[in-house]
Amino acid sequence: MLTYEQTKELLKEQQQEQLLQYYDQLNEQEKEVLLRQISNLDFSLLDLLGEESGGERGKLEPLGAVTIDEIKERRDEFYAAGVTAIQQGKVGAVLLAGGQGTRLGYDGPKGTCDIGVTHPLYIFEMLIRNLMQVKNACDAWIPLLIMTSDKNNDATVAFFKEHKFFGYNPEYVFFFEQEMAPSVSYEGKIYLEEKGKVSMSPNGNGGWFGSMQKAGVLDKAKALGVEWLNVFAVDNVLQKMADPVFVGATLQSGCACGAKVVSKADPNERVGVLCLEDGRPSIVEYYEMTDEIINSREPDGRLSYNYGVILNYLFRVDALEAIAGKRMPTHVVEKKIPHLDDNGNLVKPESPNGYKFETLVLDMIHMMPDCLSFEVDREKEFAPIKNKTGVDSIESARALLEKNGITL
Ligand code: UTP
């Protein structure tokens, strides 16, 4: 750990002297905590500010999907293969719940948000209910690995305990925490969240595998026989985890991973599209595509770049181990960041006021040799809760849940 003098020197070099702004007001213990935190900061992240995020894209080509109609035809075969794999304990489910859900603005882990109308229905409860259906169909518990962050771990664990894991077997539930990164103002100054605490945020969902390894949770899953990991977001309440049909199709495809995709609602829909980039699978954001690419069509009239991802991926564990430790792109993302102002008062901004640094699980797809693109019906499997109102809100998710026969 650096001494006060060394820290001062370092911060001067990095033009981040504001971090010691309230140092004199701290007690000895708080001073030590702050110096340790600063000693551990990765200042190289600041070099990314002002750079074009993502850099140049390679040569893009369309990647077809196994379509809903094809899946219907081969459903029994895929289902049987998936059920067998699940019964053999080969499939683990990874719930990414380390995000802060700043757009929703809910106070607490997003999964603890009650979306019920006439009775409580928590997001976590809905997800567990969906996973329980697979458990019942296969008569086998699926290991559930839940990623949290320093910000929400205690609240998440306590919530699951309080609700008795919504009936899931706690012996098959494993929590692990992700890594954090500093948050900065638009001017590139690292924020303080307390007088003796640097503002740190979860560093994106891309580090899940490394964090799981570090926490020893991967070893636990492997000891249970897990060879495949199904990764998904907390906020899609129609999410099907460890879906036997998807598992079976991916296993039979021989690919290192699979991705659930939905047909784009229109060419300009703002989703990441699964395609090929320099011959490897890749997810390219709508704003990274030219109009020509966005509007190009196949001979049958379908959009060439038609399949949007919904953050539901299945990875073979040995393929993940082969890329573990490789550097992933870091994205600089605009967010609302609570912080101390120059008078030492806490500010909770209503609109974005700076950047966080994140790696993203979708970038892992490009690190895989191949990927099965598996089309699902968005009305049945995609009800994300991102925003307070309007598109992808609690309201829109409720409407989709009701359409699927769920009493709210
Ligand atoms: P989002 O991209 O919606 O990010 O996460 P977010 O940070 O939760 O929400 P906003 O942008 O601030 O409103 C997609 C999924 O990845 C998880 C989230 O919990 C969600 O399930 N995630 C995101 C993490 O696990 N860790 C992170 O650092 C970020």
Side-chain angles (χ1 to χ4, degrees):
M1 187 179 105
L2 302 175
T3 62
Y4 171 71
E5 287 307 325
Q6 288 168 327
T7 307
K8 228 175 133 182
E9 197 53 37
L10 171 71
L11 295 183
K12 197 169 167 202
E13 249 168 54
Q14 299 288 340
Q15 299 176 5
Q16 298 290 342
E17 288 148 296
Q18 75 286 353
L19 293 180
L20 291 178
Q21 200 174 353
Y22 303 107
Y23 188 77
D24 294 340
Q25 299 176 30
L26 304 176
N27 65 32
E28 287 313 306
Q29 199 194 346
E30 289 167 337
K31 282 180 177 169
E32 197 188 317
V33 170
L34 180 62
L35 294 184
R36 173 160 299 122
Q37 222 192 346
I38 296 172
S39 303
N40 291 331
L41 285 180
D42 176 5
F43 289 98
S44 70
L45 287 172
L46 302 173
D47 299 339
L48 298 168
L49 295 171
E51 274 183 18
E52 277 289 310
S53 104
E56 280 283 293
R57 280 290 178 183
K59 180 173 182 273
L60 302 186
E61 288 167 291
L63 174 65
V66 38
T67 62
I68 291 175
D69 288 343
E70 285 160 357
I71 294 165
K72 229 180 242 164
E73 262 172 40
R74 297 182 61 190
R75 189 187 177 280
D76 292 350
E77 173 199 342
F78 291 153
Y79 183 79
V83 169
T84 305
I86 291 165
Q87 287 174 337
Q88 290 169 340
K90 288 187 179 168
V91 183
V94 182
L95 167 54
L96 302 175
Q100 288 180 292
T102 52
R103 282 170 287 172
L104 183 62
Y106 172 74
D107 198 15
K110 205 188 250 189
T112 65
C113 178
D114 178 6
I115 55 165
V117 178
T118 59
H119 59 95
L121 179 63
Y122 303 99
I123 293 181
F124 280 141
E125 179 179 9
M126 196 56 228
L127 295 177
I128 294 289
R129 201 192 270 188
N130 294 350
L131 189 59
M132 198 70 119
Q133 283 178 2
V134 182
K135 182 259 152 196
N136 290 337
C138 301
D139 196 21
W141 291 104
I142 296 129
L144 173 62
L145 321 171
I146 303 179
M147 183 164 87
T148 61
S149 81
D150 178 49
K151 300 267 182 201
N152 68 14
N153 183 67
D154 294 352
T156 304
V157 175
F159 184 82
F160 269 94
K161 285 189 178 157
E162 184 191 335
H163 292 277
K164 301 199 165 42
F165 292 76
F166 298 104
Y168 211 74
N169 184 345
E171 283 175 28
Y172 285 85
V173 182
F174 305 90
F175 295 92
F176 64 99
E177 281 187 39
Q178 68 170 98
E179 319 273 305
M180 308 288 279
S183 319
V184 300
S185 69
Y186 284 134
E187 292 74 38
K189 300 287 179 195
I190 300 175
Y191 280 127
L192 283 173
E193 63 184 36
E194 288 172 25
K195 289 183 175 173
K197 206 167 166 199
V198 177
S199 168
M200 302 291 282
S201 318
N203 68 347
N205 56 29
W208 66 275
F209 189 69
S211 301
M212 184 189 282
Q213 274 180 317
K214 227 186 246 174
V217 165
L218 179 67
D219 286 339
K220 287 184 187 160
K222 282 169 73 173
L224 291 168
V226 169
E227 293 176 11
W228 290 84
L229 288 170
N230 183 199
V231 187
F232 54 91
V234 69
D235 45 41
N236 176 7
V237 285
L238 281 179
Q239 191 85 261
K240 284 195 187 172
M241 293 83 71
D243 169 5
V245 184
F246 178 43
V247 171
T250 307
L251 263 63
Q252 293 207 347
S253 73
C255 291
C257 68
K260 283 199 169 185
V261 296
V262 294
S263 271
K264 272 167 84 169
D266 71 81
N268 292 309
E269 188 181 355
R270 299 169 153 225
V271 287
V273 167
L274 182 57
C275 57
L276 291 175
E277 180 181 359
D278 295 332
R280 291 172 81 94
S282 190
I283 294 160
V284 179
E285 293 293 346
Y286 61 94
Y287 53 79
E288 296 174 306
M289 294 185 153
T290 59
D291 278 352
E292 192 190 333
I293 286 189
I294 285 177
N295 292 302
S296 67
R297 293 194 182 260
E298 297 297 290
D300 65 3
R302 239 178 338 110
L303 288 171
S304 302
Y305 296 85
N306 187 40
Y307 297 110
V309 287
I310 58 169
L311 216 174
N312 189 323
Y313 307 109
L314 183 68
F315 291 98
R316 211 171 58 216
V317 172
D318 63 5
L320 289 167
E321 285 173 329
I323 60 159
K326 282 200 180 155
R327 208 178 158 78
M328 292 178 66
T330 304
H331 299 256
V332 178
V333 195
E334 269 190 272
K335 296 262 179 169
K336 294 182 228 171
I337 305 159
H339 64 280
L340 292 194
D341 65 13
D342 282 338
N343 302 316
N345 298 319
L346 183 66
V347 179
K348 288 190 174 176
E350 288 294 316
S351 49
N353 61 324
Y355 303 112
K356 293 184 182 176
F357 300 94
E358 299 192 337
T359 59
L360 302 177
V361 58
L362 58 81
D363 285 320
M364 280 180 161
I365 295 293
H366 192 46
M367 299 164 94
M368 295 283 132
D370 40 29
C371 177
L372 179 78
S373 182
F374 181 93
E375 190 192 5
V376 299
D377 183 346
R378 73 164 65 212
E379 295 266 298
K380 292 191 181 139
E381 297 204 25
F382 193 43
I385 298 177
K386 300 278 187 196
N387 306 310
K388 266 191 191 140
T389 51
V391 178
D392 297 345
S393 62
I394 295 182
E395 220 178 294
S396 63
R398 277 184 184 144
L400 282 161
L401 284 169
E402 277 177 337
K403 252 191 186 173
N404 281 279
I406 288 139
T407 319
L408 290 170

